[in-house]
Amino acid sequence: VNLKTGGWIEKLHVNYLGAPVNKGEPLFDLYSPELYAAQEEYLQAWKNRDKIGTSFLPDAARQARDLLAAARTRLEYFDITSRQIEQLQQRGRPLKTMTLYSPADGVVIDKNVVQGMKVASGMRIFRIADLSKVWVMATLYEYQLPYVSVGEKATMSLPYLPGQTFQGRVLYIYPYLNRQTRQAKVRLEFANPQGLLKPGMFASVTLQNELARDRTLAPRSAVIDTGTREVAFVSLGGGRFEPRNVKTGIETQDGKIQILEGLKPGEMVVTSAEFLLDSEANMREALAKMVAGNMAADQKPAVKMLMSSPAAAVPAATQQQIDALTGAYLKLREQLAHDTMDEVAALMGHLHEAAAQLAAGPDAALAAAAKKLEAASAGGVKNLAGARAAFQAASVAVIEVVKRVPPGATVAPALYQIYCPMKKADWLQTTEQVDNPFLGTAMPTCGNVVGRLATQTANPSNKSPDTKPGAMGAMGK
């Protein structure tokens, strides 16, 4: 209930929060000089209409009727009812105060005035809510959104009413998520005929949705997600297993996952195993051993060497340029992993300068990769998000460069290629311990070790070092 004119509250008919009101019930009496003048204007137009109506001047009579209609409309715009206008005509004189009435049935949930208070035009006097139906704002995680649709039935329970449930429906799904919590809001509607549901209460809401009967389900533990693909092992009998690429859908409440492709109903799948898959490359090796029936328990997972052949000799100047860009790249990765911008602009400049020098070299393949790096590091970075986007593009070119010509041992005694499944991108670092530059301190261990790149001091025997248990970074939730 907002005021259309300023004045003073002479009397409050509804004087407390929670008061029930009906449509047409008086709320308060208002004295307003503007409203008083509007009454006088209407009475004058009414009297002139009566006088001119008896004359033989049709134009004057029409103008009098138009003035009366305009004066009546002005009163109505001040929320004065037709009955009040009729009483004004009968009375023939204006009143100091006019009563304003409730526009709806409901309960007063907000009151901003006291009796005698001066009020201004546009001020909100009351909020009257119809609580016969209430909205419930439910918070869902983004992975739960596929189960929810507008019109879906909802069941609600309240902690202070044990054993009693309320039935409602989904009214609206908000089209955005909270960036920090990764949660979405859903608006539900519930009937409240007895007034048990009160604004501000907390409640537990259950939304249930069932998959179609012809869907294929498997235990969630049967599917191994490598970051680039999902694999399940099907038992062939006799201790032999077949790896299957699968495509999964949504996960059910009881720990099962929908299989869209790759498995058929009735097939027996492995739900647990005695080996650890560190990377996509290592996974291929493990799969080959399983299919061959080699199930030795003492086999240890290893990080595959992504470049086992010794690098061709390059000019000293080229080696210096590769060492310079690798050093700048590794320092830049460390800055981004710690969510800092202190040296990012300078390091990006060093990376760009080294790439430009390498692009001018005689090796065509190196020059092509360096030009990609030069383009990726050319733009100025203004914030952390922009720096990470540039770093992601630069990583593609840097990996291509160092796979062709490794950096020196003083710059990188070891280089590991890590894959981030959240960003679907790779980066390089000098240790196996995952330290994600794309997600920073929010999810530092999100990533899988793809393999180790050869350096100038690579093991001559080309044997890959054993990994420690748990070398694979766990993706945070």
Side-chain angles (χ1 to χ4, degrees):
V1 179
N2 297 308
L3 284 180
K4 310 295 176 57
T5 180
W8 286 260
I9 302 295
E10 290 285 325
K11 182 179 180 180
L12 274 177
H13 297 280
V14 177
N15 202 19
Y16 63 94
L17 286 175
V21 295
N22 298 317
K23 184 176 180 179
E25 186 176 336
L27 296 177
F28 56 89
D29 295 344
L30 175 70
Y31 164 65
S32 168
E34 189 175 4
L35 187 55
Y36 188 88
Q39 294 181 74
E40 289 188 320
E41 180 182 343
Y42 178 81
L43 289 174
Q44 188 64 39
W46 176 263
K47 294 174 183 177
N48 289 341
R49 171 185 175 278
D50 287 343
K51 291 179 181 179
I52 297 176
T54 60
S55 68
F56 296 96
L57 300 174
D59 291 341
R62 187 182 67 255
Q63 291 177 2
R65 289 194 298 271
D66 290 345
L67 287 173
L68 179 62
R72 183 184 182 93
T73 300
R74 188 182 182 194
L75 284 173
E76 290 174 345
Y77 285 172
F78 284 136
D79 293 332
I80 303 304
T81 65
S82 297
R83 183 179 178 183
Q84 286 177 294
I85 295 175
E86 292 174 1
Q87 291 174 346
L88 176 62
Q89 293 174 187
Q90 296 171 3
R91 192 169 51 251
R93 58 181 180 82
L95 292 177
K96 176 185 177 183
T97 62
M98 296 292 285
T99 302
L100 273 72
Y101 297 88
S102 174
D105 297 334
V107 175
V108 176
I109 62 172
D110 193 10
K111 171 179 168 291
N112 299 313
V113 293
V114 294
Q115 190 162 300
M117 180 177 173
K118 182 179 179 180
V119 291
S121 176
M123 182 177 176
R124 186 171 69 189
I125 305 298
F126 293 110
R127 286 181 63 206
I128 299 173
D130 180 5
L131 299 182
S132 62
K133 290 184 179 180
V134 297
W135 286 354
V136 176
M137 307 304 294
T139 302
L140 302 178
Y141 290 102
E142 56 183 319
Y143 76 88
Q144 297 172 319
L145 288 175
Y147 296 95
V148 183
S149 59
V150 174
E152 183 179 342
K153 293 182 179 179
T155 303
M156 181 177 64
S157 60
L158 302 174
Y160 87 105
L161 288 175
Q164 185 171 353
T165 59
F166 300 83
Q167 303 299 319
R169 65 186 181 93
V170 176
L171 202 62
Y172 182 69
I173 302 172
Y174 284 78
Y176 54 85
L177 271 71
N178 184 301
R179 293 180 181 271
Q180 285 73 37
T181 62
R182 310 304 303 164
Q183 292 175 332
K185 285 192 177 296
V186 177
R187 185 196 305 160
L188 314 172
E189 185 180 63
F190 288 83
N192 187 30
Q194 300 177 353
L196 298 177
L197 306 178
K198 306 180 188 305
M201 282 183 169
F202 284 97
S204 297
V205 176
T206 301
L207 298 170
Q208 290 187 341
N209 200 348
E210 294 185 359
L211 298 175
R213 291 181 178 272
D214 58 351
R215 301 292 177 93
T216 302
L217 300 178
R220 183 66 184 88
S221 58
V223 179
I224 300 174
D225 189 348
T226 70
T228 58
R229 64 175 180 168
E230 294 174 308
V231 175
F233 296 97
V234 180
S235 175
L236 301 179
R240 301 181 70 248
F241 303 89
E242 177 188 0
R244 295 267 187 90
N245 288 334
V246 298
K247 182 178 179 182
T248 60
I250 57 180
E251 190 169 347
T252 66
Q253 186 178 7
D254 55 355
K256 290 185 173 59
I257 192 167
Q258 178 187 359
I259 304 296
L260 301 176
E261 296 177 5
L263 295 177
K264 298 178 180 179
E267 290 185 309
M268 188 172 294
V269 293
V270 177
T271 59
S272 63
E274 297 298 330
F275 55 87
L276 175 67
L277 299 177
D278 279 342
S279 64
E280 172 75 8
N282 189 55
M283 186 176 181
R284 292 195 185 98
E285 181 182 358
L287 299 182
K289 291 178 180 178
M290 290 185 66
V291 173
N294 185 357
M295 300 291 289
D298 58 351
Q299 293 176 355
K300 298 181 179 179
V303 175
K304 183 178 179 180
M305 293 297 294
L306 298 180
M307 179 180 177
S308 57
S309 58
V314 296
T318 301
Q319 187 65 57
Q320 290 177 358
Q321 292 158 4
I322 291 176
D323 289 350
L325 70 86
T326 305
Y329 172 86
L330 293 174
K331 291 180 181 178
L332 180 60
R333 185 214 66 81
E334 186 176 356
Q335 289 269 304
L336 298 179
H338 291 84
D339 297 337
T340 177
M341 289 285 293
D342 295 344
E343 303 177 39
V344 166
L347 291 171
M348 196 68 76
H350 296 331
L351 192 62
H352 179 74
E353 182 180 352
Q357 294 175 1
L358 189 61
D363 190 315
L366 276 178
K371 286 180 181 178
K372 297 178 185 177
L373 178 58
E374 186 180 5
S377 58
V381 292
K382 298 181 180 179
N383 52 42
L384 200 56
R388 283 173 170 153
F391 178 80
Q392 183 173 343
S395 292
V396 177
V398 170
I399 293 173
E400 186 176 343
V401 168
V402 299
K403 279 186 177 180
R404 186 168 182 82
V405 179
T410 56
V411 176
L415 272 182
Y416 293 89
Q417 183 175 338
I418 317 292
Y419 174 76
C420 175
M422 296 290 287
K423 291 293 184 180
K424 300 188 183 304
D426 295 80
W427 79 89
L428 297 178
Q429 62 181 53
T430 57
T431 63
E432 285 183 74
Q433 187 64 39
V434 177
D435 194 15
N436 195 311
F438 302 127
L439 305 176
T441 56
M443 296 177 68
T445 61
C446 177
N448 303 324
V449 179
V450 176
R452 178 175 175 176
L453 279 71
T455 63
Q456 294 291 358
T457 57
N459 190 343
S461 65
N462 294 328
K463 294 182 179 179
S464 39
D466 292 340
T467 64
K468 298 178 180 179
M472 181 184 296
M475 180 162 55
K477 293 183 178 179

